Amino acid sequence: MDSNYLLARAKDEDLLKKGECGGAVSSIFQYLLDSNLVDGVLNLSHGEDIYDGVPTLIEDSKDLVQTCGSLHCAPTMFGDLIRKYLQDMNLAVAVKPCDAMAIKELEKRHQIDSDKIYKVGLNCGGTVLPITALKMIELFYEVDPDDVVKEEIDKGKFIIELADGSHKSIEIDELEEKGYGRRVNCQRCELMIPRNADIACGNWGAEPGWTFIEIVTEKGREIVENAHKNGYLEVKTPPEKLVNIREKIEGVMIKMARKFQDKYLEEEYPSLENWDEYWNRCIECYACRDVCPLCYCRECDLEREYYSDSGETAPDPLTFQGVRLSHMSFSCVNCGQCEDVCPMEIPVARIYHRMQKKYREQTGFIAGMSEELPPLFSPEKE
Amino acid sequence: MKLTHTICPSCSVGCGINLITQKQEAVGTYPYKRYPINEGKSCKKGRECYGMITEEKRLLNPHIKKTSLVGSNWDESLNLAVSKIKSYEPEEIGIIGSGNCTNEECEILKKFATSLGAENIGYPAGNFPNFDFETGNLNDVENSQFILITGNVLKEYPLIGRKIILAKENGAEIITIDYPQKTTTGMISDQYIQTESIRQFLDDEAEKIQTKLNESSLILVSKLDNKEELEEFHQMAAKSNSKIIPIMKECNSRGAMNILPPLSEDELKTMINGMNLLYIVGDDLASQLGETLKKVDFLITQSTTLNQTALLSDVVFPSACWVEKTGSFTNITGNTQKVQQILPPPGEAMDDATIIMKIAEKMEIDL
């Protein structure tokens, strides 16, 4: 296994059948659990249907089958779950690029112990909010969302599979022009292959029934090699043609993401009047702060007496969003959770993502990717 | 660590949340984005609702009053409560449920009262009366072109507030009526009618607003000074084919209303003043009616915590929180949602229905 690129699939028949792209990711988890290298695996499982992704901790490899298959309508975040509840565990976790970015920032700040965690990265072209998916499938596909057994994003299309095995697909561009499709944060995201994890897995450049794996770290190489050696994983070297295809797909998607960054962060960036209107809606519920994987201070400045308002009207944006901006925007990984959970529909992530981009231009610091802490980072908050 | 879907018990909107548990203990909440009502968005109360389960003052065993309230056991406390209930005439006994009780608990409490022959029964409903007119749904809020609001809905019921914001983004006109103090809802409105009382609005300005209402309008009533006022708002809606949604406080206010008589603070006071024994299930009445409660001879309470009402009581039964039992809540738009048991009740606590049945059994009442 000299190359950093390989194709892999499960040896276990059940995982081979039920896992996505031959179940390589599930097999690696199976190996890690069976050999007691980890106490648990954090991944997603279906809740009530394919639009309901529920973070699930698996502690017995027999249960891994629950987490087989990918879900594109589950914009979850694992960073804070690990920090708050799973710190004591040796853990393997399936990470989207934004999860990996959040985890990386938390590792640098000693909130997650990097020695205790294996990050199995999943390539991601973006996620769709579940309720948006339901509406979109009814409206554009003219299908009852309950009849959909599987969904996927491939070759620029959102594809649904029905119980009778038939497929329907629509160009994502077309859906997004009409305000559906992927979350706007995902549209802007330029990290599709999580090279900030230990390995990055996906179907780009893979043969059908196989997973394309890029090995990123030594730890990543070890787990893939040992899963193979111990009979969990079948591997082969991908032909160069496939490596190039994968690279090409990534390139196209990054280009698209940059166009969306220009659109949302410059051309259609809210005016000052718009922001005034947005801030007036704020009910000071702290949802944006509480969901932010990077906000972990035990004593939050926002709750200091000298910043507190009457409570009946919106807080002063300078001492609320402004304080958040100065505390975390340089580290914003554009996961979009703050916008997802804001009850007042304030597009908060736009201001933070825009600021991180400017910070990156000035300092070279890329949140979620750079190995060092951001310049001017104040360790006091820990 | 495990995440389980549940319904938020903090208000009447009925949002979905994921409860995070670890080793059979509630430790947090996580956004439930698949849930149609709130799509993973929750207010502060919603995100922190697991605190009700882990609350320091949770009651773990029955208590009875000797010189002060002391720990007891189920046998002793049930025997004391039952002997006292038996010693009074049904006319001397008042029974008070709560908008926080499940539909099933309200039903069983009503059955108990009926079997006992106690006619003084109800639940604290603030200024909201019983009504049976059809109400709008949450999509109606988002799709309205004109919304008339009473109260600070954005702040108090943020996930309906969100629908108001979405309507506004679609071009809807918003008018809010509230007391003179500035509110977030008032500030985002096109017109903010600051009034001394809802009555004053109805007398002086309702007629003018009536001309703006039509079939694509909606009235959201979250604040009333008086229960008669709701019917006037309903008339405004009926005359114009507008939709209307009264927003009551508790997670099952609307469900309780269909089973138990809603009582205003004055009605509660009057009722309690005539009673010698009061049996309160699930409500912390002492926070508003402490002095009135002190006059009652004998007070039996079912409560999850050692709250003000429990402290005034002669017998206190420890009860289960919403995720420690199975049942259903009916939200403001009439949507009945199931809640499943996720955790066992702490200590010796039991769910309200079981406690009511235990009392009934000892009284040889068949429920």
Side-chain angles (χ1 to χ4, degrees), chain A residues 1 30 57 60 91 99 119 129 145 157 162 173 198 208 227 251 300 305 330 337 340 381:
Chain A
M1 229 183 277
Q30 191 186 24
L57 182 72
D60 183 337
L91 190 73
D99 291 312
K119 290 167 283 182
L129 282 163
K157 288 179 180 151
L162 304 173
D173 278 356
D198 295 310
C300 175
E305 225 175 278
F330 43 81
Q337 294 298 323
D340 282 0
K381 53 191 270 167

Side-chain angles (χ1 to χ4, degrees), chain B residues 50-310:
Chain B
Y50 71 98
M52 291 185 197
I53 310 163
T54 54
E55 155 86 58
E56 243 178 78
K57 290 184 187 161
R58 274 307 291 270
L59 280 163
L60 303 179
N61 54 308
H63 282 65
I64 56 175
K65 185 166 274 171
K66 294 202 167 151
T67 41
S68 65
L69 207 58
V70 293
S72 170
N73 58 50
W74 279 102
D75 250 356
E76 185 189 23
S77 55
L78 278 169
N79 286 337
L80 176 61
V82 167
S83 70
K84 279 291 176 178
I85 296 173
K86 280 183 176 165
S87 73
Y88 291 102
E89 293 301 318
E91 307 83 65
E92 297 174 280
I93 299 174
I95 297 180
I96 296 171
S98 163
N100 289 316
C101 291
T102 62
N103 286 310
E104 296 70 17
E105 287 162 352
C106 292
E107 289 281 5
I108 205 151
L109 188 64
K110 188 185 175 182
K111 247 177 159 180
F112 176 75
T114 310
S115 306
L116 201 66
E119 286 173 4
N120 293 298
I121 180 168
Y123 79 99
N127 295 326
F128 282 85
N130 194 347
F131 63 86
D132 60 2
F133 52 77
E134 199 187 321
T135 52
N137 62 45
L138 291 178
N139 286 336
D140 292 331
V141 183
E142 185 175 341
N143 296 327
S144 292
Q145 281 166 25
F146 176 83
I147 305 178
L148 178 68
I149 305 165
T150 75
N152 194 0
V153 175
L154 256 65
K155 194 87 182 176
E156 283 165 30
Y157 306 96
L159 274 302
I160 308 178
R162 170 178 177 240
K163 300 281 182 182
I164 298 171
I165 293 292
L166 291 173
K168 192 177 155 66
E169 287 188 344
N170 290 333
E173 183 184 351
I174 317 286
I175 296 187
T176 295
I177 307 152
D178 211 331
Y179 303 153
Q181 195 196 3
K182 276 187 187 169
T183 70
T184 314
T185 313
M187 298 302 280
I188 62 105
S189 301
D190 297 285
Q191 196 187 338
Y192 184 13
I193 301 176
Q194 288 160 291
T195 174
E196 290 302 324
S197 66
I198 302 296
R199 178 82 265 143
Q200 193 182 359
F201 162 79
L202 286 166
D203 290 343
D204 299 348
E205 304 197 54
E207 216 171 306
K208 208 163 58 197
I209 301 292
Q210 182 76 50
T211 60
K212 287 178 175 275
L213 294 170
N214 59 38
E215 64 284 350
S216 52
S217 310
L218 180 106
I219 306 178
L220 282 171
V221 184
S222 81
K223 188 178 260 180
L224 292 170
D225 295 327
N226 200 304
K227 59 158 80 173
E228 283 72 37
E229 291 159 356
L230 183 64
E231 182 49 28
E232 294 183 51
F233 283 106
H234 173 232
Q235 284 307 321
M236 286 177 76
K239 266 190 244 165
S240 55
N241 278 325
S242 304
K243 299 194 168 65
I244 180 166
I245 306 179
I247 311 177
M248 295 152 289
K249 265 209 172 94
E250 281 96 19
C251 56
N252 194 36
S253 291
R254 180 133 183 208
M257 176 188 92
N258 293 328
I259 302 162
L260 305 172
L263 301 172
S264 69
E265 199 173 316
D266 285 345
E267 287 167 329
L268 274 169
K269 245 185 223 168
T270 313
M271 188 234 241
I272 296 168
N273 276 332
M275 296 301 118
N276 287 323
L277 182 141
L278 202 63
Y279 175 26
I280 303 175
V281 178
D283 219 283
D284 189 10
L285 267 190
S287 51
Q288 35 170 335
L289 295 170
E291 289 309 306
T292 316
L293 285 184
K294 280 182 193 158
K295 292 179 206 151
V296 177
D297 278 356
F298 202 81
L299 184 58
I300 304 169
T301 299
Q302 290 178 201
S303 173
T304 58
T305 63
L306 192 62
N307 57 23
Q308 290 304 312
T309 309

Side-chain angles (χ1 to χ4, degrees), chain A residues 298-315:
Chain A
R298 271 184 209 166
E299 283 176 42
C300 175
D301 259 4
L302 290 183
E303 286 177 74
R304 292 200 196 281
E305 225 175 278
Y306 49 82
Y307 283 146
S308 69
D309 282 281
S310 75
E312 282 299 306
T313 51

Side-chain angles (χ1 to χ4, degrees), chain A residues 48 52 85 285 311 345, chain B residues 5 22 32 34 47 155 162:
Chain A
E48 57 194 84
D52 186 23
Y85 310 113
C285 72
E345 300 286 332
Chain B
H5 298 332
Q22 225 169 0
Y32 181 4
R34 168 69 180 85
R47 289 195 318 280
K155 194 87 182 176
R162 170 178 177 240

Side-chain angles (χ1 to χ4, degrees), chain A residues 83-194:
Chain A
R83 177 182 67 80
K84 284 187 197 151
Y85 310 113
L86 303 172
Q87 269 203 29
D88 298 336
M89 249 185 182
N90 287 312
L91 190 73
V93 53
V95 286
K96 300 187 297 315
C98 56
D99 291 312
M101 288 193 271
I103 292 169
K104 183 142 201 145
E105 289 305 311
L106 290 167
E107 284 172 341
K108 287 189 270 181
R109 290 159 172 80
H110 313 294
Q111 299 300 309
I112 290 180
D113 183 351
S114 54
D115 291 338
K116 284 183 140 175
I117 186 168
Y118 290 96
K119 290 167 283 182
V120 174
L122 309 174
N123 295 353
C124 176
T127 56
V128 181
L129 282 163
I131 302 299
T132 306
L134 295 173
K135 286 185 188 161
M136 176 172 108
I137 287 167
E138 266 190 315
L139 205 63
F140 299 102
Y141 296 71
E142 293 176 348
V143 165
D144 179 346
D146 289 344
D147 295 339
V148 178
V149 293
K150 200 172 176 339
E151 44 67 39
E152 66 175 312
I153 296 179
D154 193 27
K155 298 192 180 72
K157 288 179 180 151
F158 185 81
I159 305 161
I160 57 170
E161 185 183 323
L162 304 173
D164 62 5
S166 65
H167 291 80
K168 279 194 165 189
S169 63
I170 295 180
E171 295 279 339
I172 285 184
D173 278 356
E174 193 185 322
L175 296 166
E176 284 172 3
E177 260 169 43
K178 291 175 180 137
Y180 293 83
R182 298 168 302 161
R183 297 152 77 236
V184 288
N185 293 82
C186 298
Q187 294 175 29
R188 295 199 300 265
C189 176
E190 53 186 315
L191 187 65
M192 285 83 191
I193 298 178

Side-chain angles (χ1 to χ4, degrees), chain A residues 5-9 20-24 123 154-155 193 200-214 236-247 249:
Chain A
Y5 302 126
L6 51 105
L7 295 176
R9 67 180 182 188
E20 194 80 19
C21 307
N123 295 353
D154 193 27
K155 298 192 180 72
I193 298 178
C201 310
N203 63 352
W204 300 340
E207 286 171 12
W210 292 79
T211 300
F212 191 114
I213 301 181
E214 178 176 348
K236 62 181 185 182
T237 311
E240 210 180 314
K241 199 178 102 191
L242 292 184
V243 177
N244 293 340
I245 288 178
R246 176 172 178 265
E247 212 167 277
I249 299 173

